[in-house]
Amino acid sequence: MIKKILFSLVLILLFKQQVFAITTIDITRGNLDPLPIAISPLYMSEGSENIKLDNSVNQKNVGEKISEIVEINLKRSGLFNPLNKSAFVQKPDIAHLKPRFEDWRLIKAQVLVTGKILIKEGKLRVEFRLWDVVAAKEILALAFTTVPNNWRRVAHIISDKIYMRLTGESGYFDTRIIYVSESGPKTQRIKKLAIMDQDGANTKYLTLGNELVLTPRFSPTAQLVTYLSYFRNLPRVYLLDIETGIQEVVGDFPGMTFAPRFSPDGKKIIMSFAQNGNSDIYTMDIETRVVEKLTDHPSIDTSPSYSPDGKYICFNSDRSGLQQIYIMRSDGSKVKRISFGKGLYGTPVWSPRGDLIAFTKVSKGRFYIGVMRTDGTGERLLTENFYQEAPSWAPNGRVLIFYRETKSDSEGKGFTAKLWSIDLTGYNEREISTKTDASDPSWSSLLSGN
Amino acid sequence: MSAQLIRNLLLVILATLALSACSTTKKSNNLLQGDVYTGTETIEYLATGVPDRVFFATNKSVLTTAARDTLRKQAAWMRKNKDISVTLEGHADERGTREYNLALGERRANAAKDYLMTYGISGNRINVISYGKERPVNSGSTPLAWSQNRRAVTVKAN
């Protein structure tokens, strides 16, 4: 049994949610008109205990810091336009009790967030309300009690609640990204596994950089990661428990295993095994250790990814001569090619919503991140660049994260590798700041399952 | 107005011609045949007259005539030095997806291994490892750098 969440979160529904949302956002189109939202700083209730959370965060400013994170999250989603606080007329504590809607309408806010904080008996209690300014009513009110160190997660959970209330879809803010941190010259690149919150905070390194590590992927159900390590110069797929730090080789293969991913139930690892110049796709059941061979073809079959219902697998293969995307049943039967456009297609990843496959396309020396339906129709290219690949879906299937490399001159100068995200609509392309160069990102599930 | 347009068009055509002239001069420097590297710049020697590496075309693992010639020299050297075993390192350039390149590097290293074996070298003496695109020898982002990086390198293992 694996502990699902590190801490317990008490969530109290204060008031019943309204059935009809008055202010809603359509997130299926490119949003050129983000929703104006006023985020009033969370105020500290009287009688709160003194506390130090961080170098710069204490009981005096933790409310502001939480509001700030909510603001940044919502702004980065591209769907919201957080308004400048200097224009706010009403004080945070009074607004939280009963907003004077005409004041908020005056600064063109359509929704308003208010809240308060109490630190008592070593616990942090955060209460927030979401108001529809246009309709002049409350549309959401929630409170959380947790340990004070979780203040950042509270901010992400609040962001998810607001996103969900206003878009009708679950959010992706209370999530983490695992990736490969890179440093050093291209010819002797040092790579470490790194993990961070979705907004780039709380970076932690999981390996020391002594051996090459590649392509980490989160388990959808547990605090586990699977990745490729060159430990002792034997490239093999590993399974790492993030909480205990314990890791082990996956399976007992007489050669390189690579390109691992979890099945949607978290019970199997699917990967490639290369032998005698031929790569085929295998699965291993984590508990029973039973290994199954799914493809048997003299070509390169790799980058497998399950459909969210676990019934199908997409992968790329060069059996036609060039790298293309195929799907098959999860028992390896009914292999069918789905990509037929001009160029090469690789790294297919099935959307968590099930309807789309994201991929990397290479055409005329340029690299694209795109999506197509699972039968290969409806191809849409979202972004084009010198080099970019390896898309990974946000848990709500609305945003993709990938990595991009820049061109280097003949001495190798000018090279960078960075993480980027883009909405499924093709809008809202953003760099995700990391402490070092970064590649191979993988997005976690929602940590709190909200 | 239209005269200006024609002038602009002519400028564009001239620029294009100048650019394509550039690329033909580059190709004629004898370092590439097709897009396979034929120079000697990055090569090291296992013994006098025994180059340590062979080069490949983009996305290919077929051995060129030059590659087979090099591998025959390596096989002769290994037949003379029976106690030596080697590791064949397969590599790809930076212009492919990471996972596919790992497989491609493995396929290239095995293409070289198979050829050594047909010249009498036991498979037990040849270990294979793929680095995909992780260990380029030339860190530039140019066709020449990429051609030097698409390689299988024979390294003495003992």
Side-chain angles (χ1 to χ4, degrees):
Chain A
M1 264 309 277
I2 302 130
K3 249 187 289 169
K4 200 182 169 198
I5 300 166
L6 286 163
F7 75 106
S8 74
L9 184 106
V10 186
L11 187 153
I12 312 150
L13 212 59
L14 284 180
F15 299 93
K16 219 175 139 188
Q17 246 176 251
Q18 302 292 320
V19 181
F20 300 105
I22 291 147
T23 305
T24 55
I25 302 175
D26 178 6
I27 59 176
T28 56
R29 63 188 174 91
N31 210 290
L32 304 169
D33 204 12
L35 183 78
I37 184 168
I39 302 169
S40 175
L42 276 64
Y43 75 96
M44 179 61 61
S45 305
E46 274 178 40
S48 275
E49 295 157 5
N50 286 355
I51 198 157
K52 197 176 174 210
L53 294 162
D54 208 305
N55 285 335
S56 58
V57 183
N58 53 39
Q59 84 285 350
K60 287 202 191 89
N61 63 2
V62 64
E64 272 166 50
K65 293 282 178 187
I66 290 175
S67 314
E68 235 172 75
I69 293 171
V70 172
E71 195 175 314
I72 292 166
N73 278 341
L74 295 179
K75 190 179 169 74
R76 285 184 62 91
S77 79
L79 302 173
F80 299 87
N81 172 26
L83 300 170
N84 190 339
K85 286 191 172 70
S86 63
F88 296 0
V89 177
Q90 238 184 334
K91 282 192 172 161
D93 50 344
I94 301 168
H96 185 61
L97 279 177
K98 177 73 188 150
R100 211 162 43 241
F101 291 109
E102 53 276 23
D103 283 2
W104 296 100
R105 263 181 232 130
L106 212 60
I107 62 165
K108 305 267 188 283
Q110 288 190 29
V111 283
L112 166 67
V113 181
T114 65
K116 72 168 176 184
I117 285 190
L118 178 70
I119 298 171
K120 212 164 183 183
E121 288 155 10
K123 289 267 165 67
L124 170 70
R125 185 176 188 281
V126 180
E127 180 185 312
F128 87 97
R129 289 176 177 167
L130 183 65
W131 309 86
D132 187 325
V133 173
V134 181
K137 63 188 199 179
E138 182 187 280
I139 52 174
L140 182 64
L142 291 166
F144 311 89
T145 304
T146 180
V147 292
N149 275 331
N150 275 328
W151 66 275
R152 278 189 161 271
R153 283 203 55 198
V154 168
H156 293 314
I157 293 167
I158 291 174
S159 309
D160 282 328
K161 295 293 177 194
I162 295 170
Y163 184 98
M164 191 169 182
R165 184 67 186 85
L166 294 173
T167 67
E169 309 220 7
S170 62
Y172 54 89
F173 302 113
D174 186 26
T175 55
R176 295 198 281 182
I177 310 283
I178 192 156
Y179 64 98
V180 171
S181 157
E182 301 192 3
S183 58
K186 254 170 127 178
T187 50
Q188 294 156 290
R189 205 75 165 147
I190 293 166
K191 299 198 172 190
K192 300 176 189 176
L193 286 193
I195 193 167
M196 66 181 183
D197 294 352
Q198 139 291 130
D199 61 351
N202 285 330
T203 302
K204 287 191 188 80
Y205 299 98
L206 303 177
T207 63
L208 298 169
N210 295 329
E211 60 275 323
L212 185 61
V213 292
L214 303 170
T215 63
R217 273 87 193 232
F218 271 117
S219 160
T221 54
Q223 293 295 315
L224 296 171
V225 166
T226 182
Y227 69 104
L228 171 58
S229 171
Y230 276 70
F231 182 63
R232 290 184 176 154
N233 239 10
L234 296 170
R236 295 290 186 276
V237 169
Y238 281 75
L239 184 63
L240 166 70
D241 186 316
I242 310 174
E243 285 176 41
T244 63
I246 294 170
Q247 54 183 319
E248 54 178 317
V249 181
V250 174
D252 183 21
F253 291 90
M256 176 172 72
T257 47
F258 62 108
R261 264 178 216 283
F262 286 91
S263 61
D265 60 9
K267 288 181 177 161
K268 284 181 184 175
I269 290 175
I270 189 165
M271 63 200 150
S272 284
F273 164 50
Q275 194 178 32
N276 303 327
N278 174 29
S279 296
D280 279 311
I281 294 170
Y282 289 72
T283 56
M284 194 198 80
D285 187 295
I286 294 169
E287 204 168 294
T288 65
R289 310 267 140 177
V290 172
V291 170
E292 238 185 299
K293 184 176 183 180
L294 297 186
T295 66
D296 189 4
H297 196 281
S299 65
I300 292 173
D301 295 338
T302 190
S303 301
S305 163
Y306 274 98
S307 62
D309 62 7
K311 288 182 180 159
Y312 294 91
I313 292 158
C314 57
F315 63 102
N316 63 214
S317 172
D318 62 1
R319 59 186 65 192
S320 72
L322 294 171
Q323 204 181 349
Q324 296 291 344
I325 298 172
Y326 293 75
I327 59 169
M328 62 183 173
R329 294 244 179 99
S330 57
D331 62 0
S333 68
K334 304 238 161 141
V335 178
K336 193 180 115 193
R337 177 173 164 182
I338 63 162
S339 65
F340 291 95
K342 275 192 180 152
L344 307 181
Y345 291 79
T347 75
V349 270
W350 216 298
S351 152
R353 306 161 75 90
D355 55 343
L356 294 171
I357 289 170
F359 56 83
T360 306
K361 177 176 182 168
V362 191
S363 179
K364 292 181 181 155
R366 301 291 289 176
F367 284 71
Y368 303 81
I369 304 294
V371 292
M372 57 173 70
R373 288 194 207 100
T374 59
D375 62 359
T377 62
E379 175 177 319
R380 265 194 311 123
L381 300 176
L382 306 179
T383 164
E384 180 230 345
N385 214 274
F386 169 71
Y387 188 88
Q388 53 192 355
E389 67 144 320
S392 169
W393 292 92
N396 71 353
R398 286 291 173 194
V399 186
L400 288 160
I401 188 169
F402 55 94
Y403 80 93
R404 179 176 286 171
E405 291 176 352
T406 54
K407 208 172 185 165
S408 35
D409 66 15
S410 52
E411 269 91 56
K413 289 196 191 96
F415 178 75
T416 61
K418 298 287 177 192
L419 306 187
W420 287 75
S421 70
I422 192 163
D423 286 7
L424 187 51
T425 54
Y427 290 90
N428 198 30
E429 185 175 278
R430 281 166 197 270
E431 189 184 326
I432 297 183
S433 74
T434 44
K435 293 221 157 84
T436 59
D437 269 13
S439 61
D440 293 359
S442 168
W443 213 314
S444 79
S445 306
L446 275 174
L447 298 174
S448 49
N450 59 357
Chain B
M1 189 63 190
S2 69
Q4 202 185 346
L5 192 71
I6 289 163
R7 200 161 52 222
N8 284 345
L9 271 174
L10 275 173
L11 275 173
V12 171
I13 291 164
L14 276 175
T16 321
L17 282 174
L19 278 174
S20 52
C22 275
S23 61
T24 28
T25 29
K26 255 186 204 159
K27 268 177 198 154
S28 65
N29 63 7
N30 284 333
L31 291 175
L32 294 176
Q33 194 171 61
D35 65 352
V36 181
Y37 184 65
T38 54
T40 52
E41 203 186 300
T42 58
I43 292 171
E44 290 171 26
Y45 288 84
L46 293 160
T48 311
V50 187
D52 70 338
R53 65 196 63 198
V54 297
F55 301 97
F56 297 89
T58 303
N59 281 326
K60 293 282 191 290
S61 54
V62 180
L63 298 170
T64 62
T65 311
R68 289 198 298 266
D69 185 46
T70 296
L71 289 167
R72 279 195 301 273
K73 286 175 186 161
Q74 290 183 6
W77 168 72
M78 283 186 79
R79 279 199 305 274
K80 258 184 259 159
N81 300 278
K82 294 209 184 314
D83 54 331
I84 284 175
S85 57
V86 297
T87 298
L88 258 164
E89 300 176 349
H91 299 269
D93 66 33
E94 65 179 2
R95 304 301 288 162
T97 56
R98 193 183 311 286
E99 293 176 334
Y100 182 81
N101 276 359
L102 287 169
L104 185 58
E106 202 265 350
R107 194 152 76 180
R108 284 174 176 160
N110 272 290
K113 177 184 172 180
D114 288 349
Y115 198 78
L116 290 179
M117 286 171 71
T118 61
Y119 278 83
I121 309 302
S122 158
N124 298 332
R125 294 173 66 193
I126 309 166
N127 182 35
V128 159
I129 187 167
S130 170
Y131 287 101
K133 61 174 176 174
E134 307 305 318
R135 290 288 176 261
V137 68
N138 184 332
S139 48
S141 297
T142 60
L144 178 67
W146 298 329
S147 72
Q148 291 176 344
N149 293 336
R150 291 187 295 269
R151 68 203 194 276
V153 184
T154 304
V155 179
K156 256 180 77 173
N158 57 343

